[in-house]
């Protein structure tokens, strides 16, 4: 039984995240989606709203792939969270070079704390690679169309908050 942990803030969940989740499901039997509470990052959506987005959008992926997908809010250290859920791998999405430096440091430090948990990097499909939650919010705030970046329910939630 392979268990993975895909952590993030998901503020909000985008089609980029969903693409990574689908890919992660080809590698594990059980996937925890770690939703970081991250109160100091000042998320637009509450933890409950972010968890609901993940649950609503991942139910069908779980059914399609047969992978058990479990949403798991967490506030502690990522490596601690991985240990708590029994994950043997942490899954991260990698976009252009901008993500690399931070992720490189994270792997080094996480490995120093627990060398038996591997970090696996996945790239989204080309059409989703440039999507970032932060930019989606900025575009929406400025009145742009974000419907090609997020699912319909997330677009509706953004409309309610920022429309
Ligand atoms: P964090 O606060 O950890 O950066 P995010 O919710 O922004 O959380 O992202 C969670 C993970 O998903 C990160 O590994 C991030 O690099 C990855 N990710 C986000 N958007 C994309 C995308 N469009 N393509 C590939 N990976 C992505």
């Amino acid at each position: 039984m392979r268990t993975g942990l895909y952590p993030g803030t998901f503020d909000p969940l985008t089609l980029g995240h969903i693409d990574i989740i689908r890919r992660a499901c080809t590698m594990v039997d059980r996937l925890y989606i770690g939703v970081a509470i991250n109160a100091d990052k000042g998320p637009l959506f509450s933890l409950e709203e972010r968890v609901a987005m993940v649950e609503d959008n991942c139910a069908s992926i779980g059914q399609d792939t047969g992978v058990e997908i479990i949403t798991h809010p967490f506030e502690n250290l990522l490596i601690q969270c991985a240990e708590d859920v029994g994950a043997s791998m942490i899954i991260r999405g990698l976009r252009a070079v901008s993500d690399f430096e931070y992720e490189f440091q994270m792997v080094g430090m996480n490995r120093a704390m627990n060398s038996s948990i591997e970090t696996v990097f996945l790239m989204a499909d080309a059409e989703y690679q440039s999507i970032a939650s932060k930019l989606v919010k900025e575009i929406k705030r400025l009145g742009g169309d974000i419907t090609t970046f997020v699912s319909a329910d997330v677009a509706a939630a953004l409309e309610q908050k920022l429309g």
Side-chain angles (χ1 to χ4, degrees):
M1 176 68 111
R2 279 190 168 269
T3 299
L5 169 66
Y6 176 45
T9 311
F10 307 110
D11 185 45
L13 181 79
T14 69
L15 297 183
H17 294 130
I18 293 172
D19 187 274
I20 297 294
I21 292 167
R22 279 196 181 281
R23 288 170 199 279
C25 283
T26 64
M27 305 190 305
V28 296
D29 306 295
R30 183 188 289 143
L31 181 66
Y32 283 90
I33 316 265
V35 183
I37 294 174
N38 261 349
D40 52 340
K41 252 192 171 181
L44 174 66
F45 290 97
S46 68
L47 176 68
E48 292 71 24
E49 289 169 323
R50 288 180 283 132
V51 165
M53 281 174 193
V54 171
E55 282 177 350
D56 293 347
N57 284 274
C58 291
S60 64
I61 303 176
Q63 279 158 13
D64 292 351
T65 60
V67 172
E68 188 185 356
I69 299 180
I70 303 163
T71 310
H72 182 81
F74 75 104
E75 198 166 23
N76 53 351
L77 266 180
L78 174 58
I79 202 76
Q80 183 74 58
C81 174
E83 286 168 8
D84 291 347
V85 301
S88 57
M89 66 173 98
I90 292 170
I91 291 144
R92 295 286 288 170
L94 203 56
R95 284 163 293 190
V97 278
S98 55
D99 281 336
F100 184 79
E101 173 100 34
Y102 175 70
E103 296 292 343
F104 178 81
Q105 283 190 312
M106 282 254 290
V107 172
M109 299 194 75
N110 283 335
R111 194 171 277 169
M113 290 183 277
N114 186 332
S115 61
S116 67
I117 299 178
E118 286 297 341
T119 303
V120 174
F121 292 99
L122 297 175
M123 284 172 74
D125 191 75
E127 70 177 298
Y128 303 128
Q129 272 177 27
S130 58
I131 304 175
S133 298
K134 191 171 165 234
L135 293 178
V136 168
K137 285 181 283 190
E138 220 164 289
I139 293 167
K140 183 67 194 174
R141 262 192 203 104
L142 297 171
D145 178 12
I146 43 81
T147 52
T148 54
F149 307 135
V150 295
S151 63
D153 61 302
V154 173
L158 278 162
E159 174 64 26
Q160 222 177 17
K161 290 261 184 202
L162 302 173

